[in-house]
Amino acid sequence: MNKTFKKVMVTGLTVAMMVGGSTAAFADNGNGKGKGNDKDRDNEIRYNGYINNKNDNKNNNNNNNGKDLYINNLNVKNLNIKISFDDVKGGDVEWAARYIASLASKGVFEGYEDGTFQPRKTITRIEAITAAVRLMGLREQAESTDAKNTNLNFKDANKIQDWAKGYVAVALQNDLFEESDDMVQPTKEADRLWATTLLVKALKLQDEAKAKMTTKLNFKDADKIPAGSVGYVAVAIEKNLIDGYEDNTFRPTRPVTRAELAALLDRTGNQLPDNTSVKGTLSSAVSNNTLTFTQNGQSYNIELDSNAYIFRNGSKVSASELRSGDEVLVRTFGGKAIFVEVTKVASGSDLPSNSNFTGTLNATVSNNKLYLNKDNASYSIELASDVTIVRDGRTVSASELKSGDEVLVRTSGGKVVFVAVTKLAGDQNGNFVVNGRYNSLTTNSNDQVTQISIDKILSDGTVQDNVYYNTTSNVTFLYTISNGTTIQGDRSQLTDNRSVELRGNDNVVHTIVIK
């Protein structure tokens, strides 16, 4: 890493202005005299961010004396931070919302002045270069007077807008261009191969890329990737910056959308030094709209911004879903937390808030909570007031659940709304008991009864014989009958729709109880 890069990375976060296609989004908002002008500096908005020490709330000035936690140093003009965008909607782009919020909170890649992000819009090369330079922490250098006045020996230098010249100069100094490049082509769409190469260079991994130029790429269209670019793609795949499509193609010439670039940038940023955030462990759930967390044994408080983006368990959530013990990454602005990402969910705190999963009960229901083991960890989760519980083919109360029952659980809003027992406690030897209504008997050529079928009405979400039913259904089940099966009750009453109970072992019925 060169000295300039190292120096800038430790100076603090410089929040970017809007990144967009319009000139205004990157325009010099000063008076043209650059940072060296005193008036220009006086017009800048500065904020030194400290979080109050929980144990010393009186100490809330900028002299932390070791008791406040220094988060970042914002030094910006035309302050404007927005991290959630209404137009990031639809299955083809919603996956990128987390990446967009993360980058916007760092001031690397934001929306347009009209409040949109336009995730499906393709990105231009100059926009990608600008975002990469900012990701490297070099915005202040790129917007300096010296950088803006740098002589650029590109054939199309006259096509580079004034606001972008400093970014091109800094990108050139940091080896983001090839030595043979004689044009910037600022308005050309950035394709996947070009963007991938740019970000590998931003990570200073050129030497690794060169060492991997003979790698055999397994994409169907690997022959469309130039030999001199193979190493860059190999490194990007290895570092999880980018991957191929479901049909095992890479599509190197496909233009990159703003949503796709957000993912590329954020994955790249995770491998760069980051002084824009603080990491800690929540010491309690959110109370009075305040995060309370510990770092290095010290406790801190910080207020949540009303529009804070909170990412937990793979989705955006409300502050109420944060749990004590969650390990978090927090970014602040204006003295408030604007981005919170749970990097490690608290062990045993809860389970995904809106999902289906399986587990084994490790206790009976107590205090209206379900206690279960899942993936070698123990969890407790509250039952909804209208929860539906199905056990042994019947809808039952929570009190009938037994420790050792294997269950399928459905949650919504952080509470259990449905439980289906897929295997009864004590069935380790294959024992089973099922209830239903008699349908028919099947006999063999010797007129011996070999099978019995019964009907069950299964509620929405029931699992029976490893089949999941997502609607209320009348389903017929067929069971094998063993030789010498016992029939309890009057056999003459074994008629259509008669309630019966089947008892057996290893999927073979040994007792039929007529009810």
Side-chain angles (χ1 to χ4, degrees), residues 17-59:
M17 295 172 291
M18 299 286 189
V19 176
S22 63
T23 302
F26 287 110
D28 178 7
N29 293 300
N31 55 16
K33 296 181 181 180
K35 193 173 189 290
N37 180 274
D38 289 338
K39 290 183 179 180
D40 191 48
R41 284 201 304 271
D42 290 340
N43 289 331
E44 293 176 359
I45 301 174
R46 297 170 183 262
Y47 167 73
N48 289 313
Y50 291 86
I51 295 176
N52 287 339
N53 182 304
K54 183 178 179 182
N55 299 318
D56 188 3
N57 290 326
K58 294 180 181 180
N59 184 25

Side-chain angles (χ1 to χ4, degrees), residues 62 166 193 213 344 403 432:
N62 285 351
L193 180 60
M213 288 299 180
K344 184 177 181 181
S403 178
F432 67 90

